[in-house]
Amino acid sequence: MSKIHMRVYRGNSEGGQLKDYDVEVAEGMVVLDAIHNLQATQTSDLACRWNCKAGKCGSCSAEVNGKPRLMCMTRLNEFAEGETITVMPMKTFPIMKDLATDVSWNYEVNKRIPPFTPREGADWHWEQRDADRAQEFRKCIECFLCQDTCHVLREHDKKTSFAGPRFFARIASLEMHPIDGLDRTELLKDQHGIGLCNITRCCTEVCPESIRITDNAIIPMKERVVDKYYDPLRILWNKMTGK
Amino acid sequence: MAIDVRTQKGLGVTLRQDNWWGEPLAIAAGLITFIVYMTWAALTPTGSHGEIWYKWGSYISPAFSPYFSPSWFKWSPAILILWAPAGFRATCYYFRKAYYRAFFQDPPGCAVGEESREYKGESSFPFILQNLHRYFLYLAILLVINHWIDLAWAFTKEGPKDYYFGVGTLVLLVDTILLTFYVGSCHAWRHLVGGKLDCFSTCPINDVRYKIWCRVTKINENHGFWAWASLFSVGFADLYVRLVAMGIWTDIKIF
Amino acid sequence: MSENYQSFEYDVLVIGAGGAGLRAAIEASAAGCKTALVCKSLLGKAHTVMAEGGIAAALATVDSRDSWRQHFSDTLIGGNFGNHWEMAEIHAKQAPDRVRELEKWGAVFDRTTDGKGNINVRHFGGHTYKRLAHVGDRTGLELIRTLQDKGVHSGIDVHMECTIYALLKDGDRIAGAYGYFRETGRPVLFKAKSIIVSTGGIGKLYSVNSNSWECTGDGFALAYLAGAELADMEYVQFHPTGMVWPPSVRGLLITEGVRGEGGVLKNNKGERFMFKYIPPKYQGKYAETEEEANAWFQKVVVEGQKEEGVKERKPPELMSRDVVARALWAEIKAGRGSEHGGVYLDIASRRSAEDIKKKLPSMYHQFKQLADVDITKVPMEVGPTCHYMMGGVKVNPQTQESTVKGLFAAGECSAGMHGSNRLGGNSLSDLVVFGKLAGEHAAAYAKNSSVPKIDESVLDGLNKEMNKPFENQGGEVSYAILADLQTAMEKGAGMYREESLLEGCLKDLASLKERLKKVSAEGNRLFNPGWHVALDLRNMLIVGEALARGAKERKESRGGHTRTDYTSYSKDFAKKRVVIRKKGEEMEVVQEDLPQVPAELEAELIKDGFLRLEVLKQIRGEAPAH
């Protein structure tokens, strides 16, 4: 057992501040263990979400020393000895209390995405290689760290006109599904504002599931939007062939 | 009461403790160096006495190829060429990230604060033009083909049958390969060769497209690397040809 | 103090939004009922996401010999005939349709490699053939995301981060539920014609467990308090392969898929010990020598040959979980354990690094990130961890209705399907099969019944109970009681049970109950975990007691219930189930007859080779098992 120094944000919708704590820690612990330790021994009303503590549910998203991370997958031995560990709630979403934020906006966005709609008469036999791309995006555990770090939401607060990386990946998983018959490019361009993304890749950098959101979801989706709306030759061709 | 760190805003505001500014700084330095050098090189095809600096023997600087100088055009012929690769790089999905971060601080780093200002991303002019990347790709493909032709010539000296392999040939060879990989790993290319398909297993043509798409995807993972490597190799190839042409450096024949 | 509570009215209320709850809500909503789904966490975070290996269904896409009868028989043998046979039958018959339905709703399962483009299936413990449809090692996530996306477009109201504290009744029928929103602490009343509890398991009762914080046994306790009967509460599954090191991740699950992909169990002498522990019921079905097991591995796993043509038998690492867990324990007890008190699970020497990363990506990352262990290079250390509650609310197998009118249960919360031991992969299929049934019948019930009346005066009493931790000044915090509860359960009602230990456990639980009366919570009702735990503890203590009493009653060893004082199957208990119900303030324990497979069907299964008579006799305690 040794001690570490932590600063944890305490507050609610009216405001708050970082508070200092010394926490007992043991070998192999992660930041979430330290937070649990705090709850059990010093401040039982410290609010924080968590479920599986194994990096599979995406509940314990927070900002550890300024970086959006899952607390359950951030080992304490990553930090230098004597380093203060600062834990903040996600900045992009309104705070509820302490480390818990109101992420309901994400669920609203998801509702606005037309669900999986199989093509009529589709052949349900398809190969692994056709499943690969959709499966990558379906690894998403909805921790919303990509939404948190995306500057379009974080700094420019475009929540009314921009869906965010999580939902571009979700749309990509539907658009690249071999059986799905809907076309969501217009939605992507207008309602979900894919044009606001300037592909600065922070979403990919923070993804705990290592989904290559920018390269494999957003850029391919942008290219599909180009196909339909920005490529003059292609638009002409489509008009001529009546597509 | 102490300041509420959650509500603090502004350029560079962050609780990150690592050197997040290191990367944008290095990128800015790299890009500025290249742009300054390339601008100078493009505008300086010849020395003050008219001596040719852009080619030596069968070596030609990649900035001046294909060499094209109509009589009415009074400026450096490089200008007629360079807009195409410059446009390709400026609209490149990798370089966009690099310069949005390094030059526009939009954002300067992940989870790092920005100046508050109206933001439209790539949804309005001028950045909406980034969507034309594929047209620059078409030009870039033509340029790469041209590079391979130039390279073939770089294996000769006094004519097609005079085989020659010098250090310059090697420089141009590396440059051409890197450029090929850079263009070949382009995101728009990846989309066009197969990414746009929803299902790869419907017909034999899609099968072939899938295989190409897989290859492109593989090298696309390092698109940023190819972007930088080819940027330096172009600059270096120009510099090499130039130094040899200026007589400052002597090309060595390897075999 | 009369609290200002929010109020909603529904036809069907589903408590718990894991696989079973979501599936039930989708079904009820599709039947035209106004349906709500209440979950303790955010939607899509339920413990179902942690299911890794797959969903068992006799799709027969890889091994054409598979059939529902084989699945049914495997389930009964795995459950040591403690199952309610009707549930096992419904499950085996309907699972393939439920899996294909998931695919129609957008689930992207791994595909077969034979060029036919079917859903791929893999091996798992206790299943005769390859039978688990899967998505890498994150099948649960796929299931929950598919149902979630289907659900949000089905017009279901979702109330997230909401805990139900009590079920309300109108006479003998269910009438509603009362609870609070975790975020604001504000009380909420749901009036409902029918209610489905699908709240998952009890893992958090034990200190070493593979479950998330939500698994506090709420549904069992809520149903029990509302007068429903619980059954089979002594059957708790300890999964053989939990992580053991470092301490902060102790208990975290390592998927059975590791063994399915060729991983082997070894003791500290490097010996593959499982060959010594093949019980009579599995004799002749599993490889008896290392050579045979290796030949099977080479042919089936490495070369991907069709098992139909392979004469060697499966390695014994692939036996059911109860058998493997007991073998592990025996090795550890005999001093042949690993450095940190487990045994070794070795895949590094069996598969290439590339294969391991591709087939078991989240296991690779879990060990790399949480334990600094590279499983492509060195073996893992594993030990048993509390994983699953086979028992639960006693339900009608056809309708999933409990003994209280209008109250239904599905998933881990209901009893009977798995008997004394669940086979891997049968839980995900359980969720969708019985989730659907519960939704269907809850909707039918709601449609045929009037709006129940709720006596709002009971709410005052509930408010007082819920508020009590804030009024108790200077008491201890809930976390201390939780820690002691976990220790008491681990010690007194863990993997190995004994009369005196169980009595000690019951005594410990009684004193914890007293302590809980004086528990204090600091702060206010706004998102206050200390307070939440204080309220959850009531449920955990009820479940703990039911479990210990059930275990004390069953004087034999069967599947997940192992007693050191009654080590074998007993004839007296083979056809009984232990039922627990509330009688006044006391917990009543009774034995009931467990419905048996009809003689005709049994004879047919024996004739066709799905069951063996001598095995049946052993399991029924009619012939010696050793």
Side-chain angles (χ1 to χ4, degrees):
Chain A
M1 282 278 179
S2 60
K3 272 198 174 170
I4 55 159
H5 184 68
M6 289 184 91
R7 305 185 77 202
V8 182
Y9 188 82
R10 303 302 303 270
N12 54 38
S13 55
E14 282 154 22
Q17 56 186 307
L18 285 166
K19 280 201 174 166
D20 291 81
Y21 299 95
D22 286 316
V23 196
E24 294 257 330
V25 294
E27 192 184 335
M29 274 195 174
V30 292
V31 171
L32 185 59
D33 287 313
I35 294 287
H36 282 165
N37 214 332
L38 268 180
Q39 289 178 325
T41 57
Q42 298 184 41
T43 170
S44 68
D45 65 342
L46 168 61
C48 122
R49 282 200 187 95
W50 71 285
N51 279 51
C52 73
K53 206 169 143 332
K56 291 195 171 76
C57 74
S59 301
C60 61
S61 309
E63 296 180 10
V64 184
N65 282 359
K67 285 190 181 171
R69 315 268 308 250
L70 291 179
M71 289 193 279
C72 70
M73 296 308 269
T74 308
R75 293 274 297 266
L76 291 171
N77 64 8
E78 275 179 36
F79 303 95
E81 195 148 341
E83 189 177 345
T84 298
I85 299 172
T86 307
V87 187
M88 293 281 295
M90 288 192 283
K91 191 172 185 175
T92 299
F93 306 110
I95 189 168
M96 283 175 158
K97 187 183 163 196
D98 304 337
L99 301 177
T101 53
D102 178 3
V103 293
S104 56
W105 170 77
N106 293 290
Y107 289 90
E108 294 305 317
V109 177
N110 191 31
K111 256 189 206 169
R112 293 201 298 267
I113 298 172
F116 174 66
T117 314
R119 272 197 321 272
E120 239 169 82
D123 178 7
W124 289 90
H125 294 88
W126 36 292
E127 304 274 321
Q128 183 58 41
R129 62 184 183 186
D130 298 312
D132 285 337
R133 283 183 299 174
Q135 283 185 338
E136 180 185 6
F137 311 130
R138 294 182 69 88
K139 282 198 304 197
C140 172
I141 55 173
E142 296 205 324
C143 62
F144 303 130
L145 287 173
C146 56
Q147 307 285 76
D148 179 45
T149 196
C150 174
H151 74 127
V152 183
L153 297 167
R154 188 184 178 95
E155 296 292 321
H156 305 295
D157 199 24
K158 297 279 184 195
K159 291 201 185 78
T160 49
S161 49
F162 184 69
R166 156 62 189 132
F167 297 104
F168 294 139
R170 163 109 184 97
I171 294 173
S173 78
L174 293 164
E175 289 294 290
M176 294 180 189
H177 194 298
I179 307 284
D180 182 82
L182 283 190
D183 179 3
R184 298 169 185 79
T185 25
E186 190 183 341
L187 278 176
L188 268 172
K189 176 174 156 287
D190 299 333
Q191 201 185 348
H192 298 307
I194 199 169
L196 286 170
C197 167
N198 67 348
I199 50 167
T200 39
R201 288 169 193 272
C202 289
C203 50
T204 306
E205 284 182 25
V206 299
C207 180
E209 284 291 300
S210 309
I211 300 171
R212 303 186 62 227
I213 307 173
T214 319
D215 285 327
N216 290 351
I218 298 181
I219 294 175
M221 287 301 108
K222 275 189 172 241
E223 284 295 315
R224 288 183 185 209
V225 171
V226 175
D227 275 349
K228 206 166 168 190
Y229 295 99
Y230 298 115
D231 183 340
L233 289 179
R234 196 172 162 92
I235 293 168
L236 194 69
W237 171 258
N238 285 350
K239 281 225 167 105
M240 274 161 43
T241 56
K243 265 190 193 167
Chain B
M1 194 166 155
I3 321 156
D4 189 344
V5 282
R6 233 183 99 77
T7 52
Q8 275 182 305
K9 291 232 163 205
L11 185 62
V13 169
T14 183
L15 286 171
R16 278 179 68 168
Q17 290 165 5
D18 54 337
N19 295 334
W20 58 265
W21 39 266
E23 194 189 300
L25 200 67
I27 288 174
L31 286 177
I32 289 171
T33 310
F34 177 81
I35 292 168
V36 168
Y37 171 77
M38 225 43 202
T39 310
W40 171 80
L43 297 176
T44 321
T46 52
S48 49
H49 305 292
E51 64 274 32
I52 288 172
W53 280 356
Y54 62 84
K55 74 187 275 200
W56 180 82
S58 55
Y59 297 162
I60 183 161
S61 155
F64 290 84
S65 177
Y67 190 78
F68 176 60
S69 182
S71 54
W72 50 266
F73 193 74
K74 297 284 177 259
W75 298 280
S76 164
I79 296 172
L80 291 176
I81 302 301
L82 278 185
W83 63 273
F88 182 66
R89 288 187 187 263
T91 58
C92 160
Y93 282 103
Y94 169 77
F95 278 115
R96 269 141 84 175
K97 168 221 163 179
Y99 65 76
Y100 286 140
R101 282 201 194 185
F103 293 158
F104 295 90
Q105 277 85 53
D106 209 357
C110 301
V112 177
E114 291 172 26
E115 239 174 302
S116 85
R117 62 178 162 215
E118 183 53 23
Y119 176 82
K120 295 222 170 100
E122 299 184 337
S123 65
S124 70
F125 188 80
F127 295 117
I128 197 165
L129 295 178
Q130 308 277 30
N131 287 311
L132 295 175
H133 185 48
R134 60 180 61 171
Y135 285 90
F136 287 108
L137 167 71
Y138 303 147
L139 295 170
I141 292 171
L142 295 178
L143 286 173
V144 166
I145 294 169
N146 178 64
H147 271 296
W148 282 98
I149 296 168
D150 285 347
L151 180 67
W153 283 108
F155 280 90
T156 65
K157 196 159 188 196
E158 305 290 336
K161 292 204 173 142
D162 182 22
Y163 179 75
Y164 177 85
F165 189 93
V167 173
T169 317
L170 190 66
V171 169
L172 292 173
L173 175 69
V174 169
D175 179 45
T176 308
I177 290 172
L178 290 173
L179 278 169
T180 307
F181 272 93
Y182 173 48
V183 174
S185 63
C186 165
H187 289 85
W189 177 239
R190 182 174 175 231
H191 170 74
L192 295 166
V193 295
K196 65 202 295 182
L197 300 171
D198 289 343
C199 191
F200 296 120
S201 307
T202 47
C203 64
I205 294 178
N206 285 359
D207 199 67
V208 174
R209 289 180 74 173
Y210 172 70
K211 282 174 187 144
I212 300 172
W213 178 81
C214 284
R215 299 256 159 92
V216 173
T217 298
K218 194 97 200 132
I219 55 172
N220 173 268
E221 283 171 17
N222 299 309
H223 192 51
F225 168 79
W226 301 118
W228 278 109
S230 63
L231 192 75
F232 282 120
S233 74
V234 165
F236 185 74
D238 176 86
L239 182 68
Y240 187 89
V241 172
R242 194 170 290 267
L243 290 178
V244 175
M246 287 163 106
I248 297 173
W249 184 261
T250 313
D251 188 51
I252 299 163
K253 181 175 174 175
I254 300 173
F255 48 81
Chain C
M1 185 178 74
S2 174
E3 301 271 346
N4 163 27
Y5 60 82
Q6 244 182 313
S7 181
F8 298 93
E9 203 172 318
Y10 294 103
D11 295 325
V12 178
L13 176 72
V14 183
I15 305 170
L22 273 161
R23 186 64 190 82
I26 290 169
E27 196 66 18
S29 176
C33 284
K34 194 180 173 205
T35 307
L37 188 59
V38 169
C39 47
K40 281 215 285 191
S41 295
L42 297 170
L43 185 62
K45 308 292 182 200
H47 190 60
T48 306
V49 298
M50 290 189 71
E52 292 162 350
I55 173 165
L59 293 160
T61 51
V62 171
D63 199 321
S64 60
R65 293 172 297 177
D66 203 8
S67 63
W68 78 263
R69 287 151 180 260
Q70 186 67 64
H71 192 182
F72 172 64
S73 307
D74 287 349
T75 302
L76 290 180
I77 294 170
N80 301 294
F81 285 79
N83 322 55
H84 194 305
W85 71 274
E86 262 184 277
M87 290 177 82
E89 184 190 20
I90 292 169
H91 169 260
K93 279 184 174 166
Q94 298 187 4
D97 282 344
R98 294 288 81 76
V99 172
R100 284 188 281 261
E101 173 182 79
L102 284 171
E103 188 174 53
K104 302 247 147 58
W105 291 350
V108 184
F109 290 106
D110 286 358
R111 321 301 303 176
T112 52
T113 49
D114 57 1
K116 290 187 188 143
N118 285 312
I119 295 175
N120 199 6
V121 290
R122 65 156 59 117
H123 260 301
F124 239 53
H127 293 281
T128 301
Y129 303 120
K130 287 189 173 182
R131 190 179 284 148
L132 268 73
H134 57 273
V135 186
D137 51 7
R138 51 163 195 87
T139 317
L141 176 67
E142 187 71 16
L143 183 114
I144 208 152
R145 207 58 89 222
T146 304
L147 293 174
Q148 179 185 343
D149 288 326
K150 173 81 183 162
V152 297
H153 292 101
S154 302
I156 301 162
D157 279 0
V158 182
H159 299 279
M160 294 191 223
E161 304 203 301
C162 176
T163 304
I164 297 301
Y165 185 72
L167 298 180
L168 307 172
K169 284 170 80 179
D170 175 4
D172 62 351
R173 65 175 281 211
I174 209 78
Y178 195 63
Y180 59 92
F181 286 108
R182 304 169 63 82
E183 295 159 359
T184 56
R186 189 172 178 201
V188 55
L189 170 69
F190 296 99
K191 295 178 189 166
K193 291 179 189 166
S194 55
I195 291 184
I196 300 168
V197 284
S198 49
T199 53
I202 59 139
K204 277 292 165 262
L205 263 71
Y206 292 84
S207 44
V208 179
N209 72 80
S210 65
N211 289 189
S212 79
W213 71 265
E214 293 186 292
C215 301
T216 52
D218 292 9
F220 309 111
L222 291 172
Y224 167 82
L225 291 172
E229 291 179 350
L230 304 180
D232 308 334
M233 294 297 283
E234 66 278 17
Y235 293 145
V236 179
Q237 181 167 79
F238 288 82
H239 195 292
T241 57
M243 285 175 83
V244 296
W245 191 258
S248 78
V249 293
R250 191 167 185 124
L252 199 60
L253 194 67
I254 297 158
T255 175
E256 209 169 315
V258 175
R259 283 171 280 146
E261 294 298 341
V264 293
L265 292 162
K266 290 178 181 167
N267 60 22
N268 65 10
K269 296 189 171 129
E271 198 184 351
R272 251 179 100 173
F273 56 81
M274 280 310 297
F275 297 99
K276 293 189 297 194
Y277 296 95
I278 303 175
K281 71 169 177 176
Y282 285 138
Q283 258 158 30
K285 296 258 177 189
Y286 290 84
E288 276 155 33
T289 62
E290 218 168 315
E291 293 70 45
E292 184 182 357
N294 283 340
W296 181 90
F297 165 71
Q298 182 61 31
K299 288 178 185 170
V300 176
V301 181
V302 180
E303 292 164 18
Q305 283 187 29
K306 280 221 178 247
E307 258 188 287
E308 284 156 90
V310 174
K311 64 177 194 306
E312 285 85 4
R313 294 161 295 182
K314 292 194 288 278
E317 276 87 2
L318 289 173
M319 292 190 294
S320 62
R321 288 174 181 168
D322 53 340
V323 175
V324 180
R326 278 200 294 270
L328 251 73
W329 205 243
E331 286 294 309
I332 297 165
K333 279 234 162 133
R336 294 191 288 271
S338 67
E339 192 185 345
H340 300 106
V343 298
Y344 297 103
L345 173 59
D346 178 20
I347 183 118
S349 68
R350 311 274 294 174
R351 304 292 297 263
S352 71
E354 198 186 324
D355 279 354
I356 295 170
K357 285 184 203 168
K358 205 167 141 201
K359 297 274 183 182
L360 304 159
S362 62
M363 286 302 108
Y364 173 74
H365 282 122
Q366 186 171 311
F367 273 88
K368 193 92 193 147
Q369 269 181 288
L370 296 176
D372 285 328
V373 167
D374 183 347
I375 64 166
T376 66
K377 298 207 172 78
V378 293
M380 299 162 241
E381 273 190 76
V382 300
T385 175
C386 177
H387 186 55
Y388 190 87
M389 172 51 113
M390 271 76 67
V393 180
K394 198 180 114 188
V395 291
N396 175 327
Q398 305 286 346
T399 64
Q400 295 288 294
E401 189 170 10
S402 72
T403 47
V404 171
K405 263 202 274 176
L407 178 64
F408 298 75
E412 190 169 351
C413 206
S414 66
M417 158 66 206
H418 305 289
S420 66
N421 172 60
R422 174 174 72 80
L423 294 185
N426 268 2
S427 132
L428 289 185
S429 40
D430 171 7
L431 303 182
V432 281
V433 168
F434 294 107
K436 179 187 186 292
L437 285 183
E440 190 180 314
H441 291 280
Y445 175 90
K447 279 183 176 167
N448 292 322
S449 55
S450 56
V451 178
K453 274 196 276 301
I454 286 176
D455 175 10
E456 303 209 359
S457 67
V458 285
L459 304 185
D460 276 340
L462 291 172
N463 283 333
K464 266 195 204 117
E465 269 181 51
M466 280 164 31
N467 241 334
K468 201 153 173 266
F470 291 113
E471 278 148 25
N472 287 341
Q473 296 293 320
E476 60 184 332
V477 292
S478 50
Y479 290 100
I481 302 179
L482 175 62
D484 289 349
L485 167 67
Q486 292 176 333
T487 316
M489 292 302 293
E490 202 78 57
K491 194 178 81 194
M495 219 176 114
Y496 284 92
R497 289 125 188 217
E498 199 182 297
E499 195 74 13
S500 60
L501 289 176
L502 288 164
E503 272 164 13
C505 178
L506 283 166
K507 248 183 231 156
D508 289 343
L509 292 175
S511 81
L512 287 167
K513 221 177 192 171
E514 289 307 308
R515 278 167 64 188
L516 183 61
K517 286 181 185 159
K518 287 178 238 136
V519 70
S520 281
E522 64 175 306
N524 56 31
R525 290 177 74 141
L526 190 67
F527 215 127
N528 186 338
W531 177 54
H532 298 160
V533 170
L535 298 187
D536 289 344
L537 272 169
R538 179 202 63 179
N539 299 338
M540 297 169 87
L541 286 171
I542 291 171
V543 174
E545 187 182 339
L547 196 162
R549 287 196 190 280
K552 199 162 160 300
E553 183 72 14
R554 186 172 283 279
K555 292 181 173 43
E556 65 160 352
S557 288
R558 185 176 294 273
H561 172 65
T562 310
R563 291 195 51 156
T564 47
D565 43 359
Y566 301 95
T567 53
S568 56
Y569 297 121
S570 153
K571 194 164 83 220
D572 302 335
F573 287 93
K575 296 181 178 178
K576 297 279 180 201
R577 75 196 308 197
V578 177
V579 171
I580 284 163
R581 57 181 165 236
K582 191 167 183 293
K583 198 176 184 194
E585 288 311 301
E586 294 300 304
M587 204 173 260
E588 190 183 38
V589 184
V590 291
Q591 290 184 27
E592 279 182 7
D593 288 337
L594 176 68
Q596 297 294 302
V597 185
E600 221 169 275
L601 178 59
E602 190 179 294
E604 204 182 295
L605 292 171
I606 291 172
K607 193 180 107 232
D608 295 343
F610 294 114
L611 291 177
R612 286 181 292 170
L613 190 60
E614 67 271 24
V615 168
L616 254 173
K617 280 190 171 161
Q618 285 159 2
I619 292 177
R620 288 184 177 148
E622 291 158 4
H626 299 288

